[in-house]
Amino acid sequence: MNDSPSCPLVGVAATYMPRLSEFSFEPGLVAAVDQHAAAVRDALVPAVPAQRSPEGGTVRREDLSDYVLGFTDWLSEADWVEPVGYDFATLRLTAVCWLIREYDLLGS
């Protein structure tokens, strides 16, 4: 079920996961993606300390999928076109891939 074609994380991972390999060549990219990942995680994980684990909470596949659906819908409405480099959207989608990998949301 995790790798279902209807899961929006599958498409994002297929497109943006390769960008994670650029981390070793672009230290600034690591910092930017880390900031975006933290923003997404903070939006998805409860801020109540009792509900958070010592690692800062767990991102659930369902929640990240909903986030990606909303974000990509917004990009479509804005007629966004992926640039050659990085912009807010590519950094955010790359950060989603980092979260997918970090939390093993597509299962191994």
Side-chain angles (χ1 to χ4, degrees):
M1 183 163 136
N2 290 352
D3 57 357
S4 166
S6 63
C7 178
L9 300 181
V10 173
V12 169
T15 303
Y16 294 94
M17 193 70 78
R19 289 181 178 250
L20 297 180
S21 67
E22 298 173 24
F23 280 6
S24 59
F25 304 110
E26 297 185 43
L29 178 60
V30 176
V33 169
D34 183 60
Q35 288 178 346
H36 279 268
V40 173
R41 187 176 42 249
D42 288 349
L44 299 178
V45 177
V48 180
Q51 296 176 336
R52 296 184 94 160
S53 70
E55 298 83 34
T58 299
V59 173
R60 297 175 357 146
R61 181 178 51 88
E62 297 81 8
D63 296 337
L64 190 58
S65 293
D66 288 345
Y67 178 87
V68 166
L69 283 174
F71 188 69
T72 55
D73 282 350
W74 175 77
L75 291 175
S76 292
E77 290 172 10
D79 293 326
W80 176 76
V81 177
E82 184 177 353
V84 172
Y86 286 90
D87 65 354
F88 179 90
T90 55
L91 288 170
R92 188 57 56 112
L93 293 168
T94 303
V96 165
C97 290
W98 185 88
L99 292 169
I100 291 169
R101 185 183 70 185
E102 181 73 14
Y103 292 98
D104 193 26
L105 297 179
L106 293 179
S108 309

